[in-house]
Amino acid sequence: MFSMSREAFGPEFVFGTATASYQIEGGQTDGRGTCIWDTFSATPGNVKGGETGKIACDHYNRWPEDLELIQRGGFNGYRFSFAWPRLIPEGTGAINQPGIDFYDRLIDGMLERGIQPFATLYHWDLPSTLQDRGGWMNRDIANWFADYAVLIQQKFGDRLKAIATINEPWCVAFLSHYLGVHAPGYRDIRAAARAMHHVLFAHGTAIKALRAEGASNLGIVLNLQKCEPASQSDEDKAASHLFDGVFNRWYLDGVFRGIYPQDVLDLLKPHMPKGFEADMGVVSAPLDWVGINYYSRSLLAHDPENPSFPVKSVDGPLEKTDIGWEIYPQGLEDLLVRVAREYTSGPIYVTENGMAEVDEVEDSRRVDYYDAHLKALLKAKEQGANMRGYFAWSLLDNYEWAEGYSKRFGLVRVDYETQKRTPKASYRAFQGMLHNG
Ligand code: IFM
């Protein structure tokens, strides 16, 4: 049971669940092209147990059952992502008709069940052929991405409630090109600097192309992390500020102000694409809403051993989820209020929030996690944040990227042997609140 009622959020507030194509679909037949996660996961050492998204939750075939779960839970929104290589197997050029047919069925299925489709264009499954051409390091990706966005608008735009361009650009750029944790697994500051700019340039280019096609209700989904210094020393405070710059301010300042933070540029400038300044008008193309994904905070300390990025994360003292992230609902309140005060008075959605928990159906710790974060959202709303919706991550246990299937975020348990779905206590907590008003 949650401690609040649905009414507290207002009648127009959307409650949804979120997923992503590579993490749940499977169905890698029917003409879908190869993506960077297929090859990254096939390379030993990248993903726990060498697990891949080949079958995942078999959502490609089981989507009606999954939509039933969303509907029965009382949710009226579903945040899903299109798989670029399912629609355009080579990334540019020829279209894969079975892919179009799949998303037609899925979107129509949502509408038939009173579920509003919130689509994400890119949640990390880049077609491999585009990676061969440099992927996010290549400026041309802005046009490849815009063409793909236009296809989506032409085929599905009439039925989508909202479109987000990119999911979590920090992960697309820094986690994947500097920390090397996600595909394509680079550990290279120049690669990261280029990806950090091109991902936002591609976002803005797609926004403009979508608007030219008549699309509306367009946004981006940023993952924000509450950054706090590990001690009160000036050095740790500076480390925390710099991490906030790379994680949060780069994307917020870029998208809402058309500038990159100077402290981060001081580090990255030698590696930035030449003439990037001229792109900043496109990067900051006006948006209709912003999505915030929130999970935890980071405690940061000065790292004298890394002059190119002198920051390290340190282990925090708070209770942790099964993936080792501290449970810190105050961070959600703080970040939502900060975004509302410093960046936008426009609509804000929490587009992801949730926790990894050990494999159990009576997940009472997760019920408490959601309750505490929903309270934080309400507090931010009271302080003026223009909150319009909340999407729980995730509908199903699914493929947690480099962690394989070892970490479970679902409201619904998935038995990967049989594909049986079992709603957990956290699902029932949402169901109770959403059905009882
Ligand atoms: O599973 C991911 C998701 O793909 C993006 N946001 C964070 C989730 C949990 O790590």
Side-chain angles (χ1 to χ4, degrees):
M1 285 262 292
F2 290 146
S3 62
M4 71 286 292
S5 72
R6 197 204 192 294
E7 276 167 11
F9 298 86
E12 301 302 324
F13 193 88
V14 177
F15 269 99
T17 63
T19 64
S21 45
Y22 192 81
Q23 293 179 274
I24 64 164
E25 283 181 2
Q28 297 191 1
T29 49
D30 282 356
R32 173 191 172 280
T34 303
C35 82
I36 54 174
W37 271 93
D38 297 322
T39 54
F40 185 75
S41 59
T43 310
N46 285 340
V47 174
K48 246 185 214 167
E51 289 172 328
T52 76
K54 195 156 183 216
I55 297 174
C57 306
D58 192 29
H59 175 75
Y60 188 69
N61 297 305
R62 291 169 197 266
W63 61 268
E65 182 183 352
D66 295 338
L67 294 187
E68 296 294 325
L69 282 164
I70 297 171
Q71 186 188 34
R72 280 208 308 280
F75 298 98
N76 63 346
Y78 177 40
R79 179 171 172 251
F80 70 106
S81 77
F82 289 103
W84 188 345
R86 190 182 293 293
L87 293 167
I88 312 176
E90 301 286 305
T92 58
I95 292 166
N96 176 42
Q97 190 57 42
I100 303 278
D101 296 343
F102 168 65
Y103 290 113
D104 265 334
R105 291 193 293 274
L106 185 68
I107 293 166
D108 289 346
M110 289 181 222
L111 296 176
E112 281 157 19
R113 291 168 178 83
I115 301 165
Q116 302 171 76
F118 282 71
T120 302
L121 302 184
Y122 185 74
H123 198 128
W124 310 351
D125 35 9
L126 188 72
S128 297
T129 43
L130 299 185
Q131 186 61 46
D132 298 343
R133 293 152 82 181
W136 296 102
M137 296 174 290
N138 184 342
R139 179 184 174 81
D140 291 347
I141 200 159
N143 289 329
W144 305 332
F145 184 60
D147 289 349
Y148 159 62
V150 164
L151 173 76
I152 301 238
Q153 175 58 23
Q154 289 172 346
K155 299 285 182 189
F156 313 108
D158 55 337
R159 287 161 289 159
L160 298 177
K161 170 72 181 172
I163 297 178
T165 52
I166 306 280
N167 180 69
E168 302 185 353
W170 178 83
C171 295
V172 175
F174 204 77
L175 187 66
S176 308
H177 293 80
Y178 183 76
L179 299 176
V181 176
H182 279 190
Y186 281 83
R187 300 198 64 224
D188 183 316
I189 188 93
R190 178 178 162 94
R194 279 156 194 272
M196 284 166 75
H197 178 60
H198 292 147
V199 72
L200 290 186
F201 182 51
H203 148 78
T205 306
I207 291 285
K208 284 182 175 281
L210 285 165
R211 294 228 191 267
E213 285 292 315
S216 55
N217 212 12
L218 307 178
I220 188 169
V221 169
L222 306 177
N223 55 318
L224 300 184
Q225 187 89 343
K226 188 73 202 304
C227 299
E228 296 186 349
S231 78
Q232 286 312 305
S233 74
D234 288 347
E235 283 185 324
D236 287 356
K237 283 187 191 162
S240 172
H241 187 68
L242 182 59
F243 196 75
D244 181 71
V246 169
F247 211 114
N248 301 325
R249 284 181 285 121
W250 183 270
Y251 302 97
L252 289 166
D253 286 5
V255 165
F256 289 108
R257 298 179 179 162
I259 49 164
Y260 290 138
Q262 194 54 49
D263 53 337
V264 184
L265 269 184
D266 289 344
L267 283 179
L268 295 184
K269 197 96 186 242
H271 313 295
M272 290 292 287
K274 205 159 175 250
F276 75 88
E277 295 88 347
D279 298 334
M280 296 310 289
V282 175
V283 165
S284 57
L287 297 179
D288 303 307
W289 58 273
V290 65
I292 306 297
N293 293 355
Y294 176 79
Y295 290 90
S296 187
R297 72 166 178 179
S298 288
L299 276 188
L300 292 318
H302 177 68
D303 183 2
E305 280 162 29
N306 182 359
S308 72
F309 186 57
V311 179
K312 62 181 175 199
S313 281
V314 302
D315 197 35
L318 304 179
E319 181 185 348
K320 297 195 178 68
T321 70
D322 191 41
I323 204 167
W325 300 347
E326 285 187 316
I327 300 177
Y328 192 54
Q330 182 65 46
L332 177 61
E333 178 185 335
D334 294 349
L335 284 167
L336 293 174
V337 170
R338 175 179 172 194
V339 169
R341 291 200 178 142
E342 295 177 23
Y343 292 99
T344 178
S345 56
I348 303 175
Y349 292 85
V350 171
T351 32
E352 282 182 29
N353 178 231
M355 70 176 275
E357 184 54 303
V358 293
D359 186 7
E360 62 186 10
V361 167
E362 293 309 316
D363 55 345
S364 58
R365 239 168 44 110
R366 188 183 275 115
V367 175
D368 293 345
Y369 179 100
Y370 277 124
D371 192 67
H373 286 79
L374 288 169
K375 272 191 204 147
L377 183 154
L378 287 172
K379 283 199 206 145
K381 189 168 146 69
E382 278 166 22
Q383 292 164 75
N386 188 352
M387 300 310 305
R388 299 296 180 92
Y390 177 91
F391 293 79
W393 184 271
S394 178
L395 172 65
L396 304 170
D397 290 339
N398 60 46
Y399 182 73
E400 179 53 24
W401 308 110
E403 301 291 333
Y405 294 96
S406 67
K407 301 297 172 207
R408 293 174 176 265
F409 279 84
L411 298 174
V412 174
R413 179 175 191 273
V414 175
D415 177 330
Y416 296 111
E417 296 293 313
T418 61
Q419 291 295 346
K420 184 173 167 9
R421 275 77 164 134
T422 308
K424 303 181 189 176
S426 51
Y427 174 93
R428 297 196 303 272
F430 275 104
Q431 196 175 36
M433 179 179 75
L434 297 177
H435 281 297
N436 295 328

